[in-house]
Amino acid sequence: QVQLVESGGGLVQAGGSLRLSCAASGRTLSSYAMGWFRQAPGEERDFVAAISRGGVNIEYADDVKGRFTISRVNAKNTVILQMNNLKPEDTAVYYCAAVLEDGWVNMRSHRIYDYWGQGTRVTVSS
């Protein structure tokens, strides 16, 4: 029902920035909570950031606070993850996820999300 496509990944030096986009089709994302997760080789899929359907509630993983910013661009049916001051430990495949929101949801849990993008690869060199 919802198709998500991430873009904007690539290779960047430590301290640099990348802007990831998650473009949706099939549904309007204004009714969905949106999350960003990442998975490094051999690691579990970890929470990065999330934003509620109204954009009022925003949460970040502790290790990205102050560096990453999640935002909605509703007119483009898109969710953005701006990543600044990147570190080598940020290297991972980044996934966009969506869930139809009807009240409170635990946006930090990957289990609540029904739709996932294919991922975009981010590599941060030393």
Side-chain angles (χ1 to χ4, degrees):
Q1 292 181 333
V2 177
Q3 294 80 46
L4 305 174
V5 179
E6 303 95 335
S7 62
L11 175 64
V12 64
Q13 292 184 350
S17 298
L18 286 173
R19 181 181 174 91
L20 305 185
S21 295
C22 175
S25 61
R27 293 288 191 276
T28 300
L29 292 184
S30 61
S31 297
Y32 291 77
M34 303 295 301
W36 285 96
F37 292 77
R38 65 188 181 187
Q39 188 166 19
E43 303 291 334
E44 297 182 355
R45 187 167 298 189
D46 293 327
F47 171 77
V48 177
I51 186 168
S52 66
R53 63 180 180 179
V56 175
N57 297 319
I58 297 176
E59 298 188 20
Y60 297 98
D62 288 342
D63 57 351
V64 307
K65 287 181 179 178
R67 299 190 297 121
F68 292 9
T69 302
I70 187 171
S71 61
R72 291 181 177 269
V73 185
N74 288 335
K76 299 180 179 180
N77 210 28
T78 297
V79 176
I80 303 297
L81 184 68
Q82 177 67 46
M83 305 187 296
N84 298 325
N85 192 24
L86 284 161
K87 304 175 181 179
E89 51 262 44
D90 295 319
T91 296
V93 176
Y94 284 70
Y95 297 91
C96 176
V99 61
L100 185 63
E101 184 179 349
D102 185 15
W104 182 90
V105 294
N106 179 13
M107 298 189 297
R108 294 175 175 266
S109 174
H110 67 90
R111 296 178 58 87
I112 70 151
Y113 293 94
D114 295 320
Y115 307 101
W116 293 84
Q118 83 289 347
T120 186
R121 187 178 181 182
V122 172
T123 302
V124 184
S125 62
S126 301

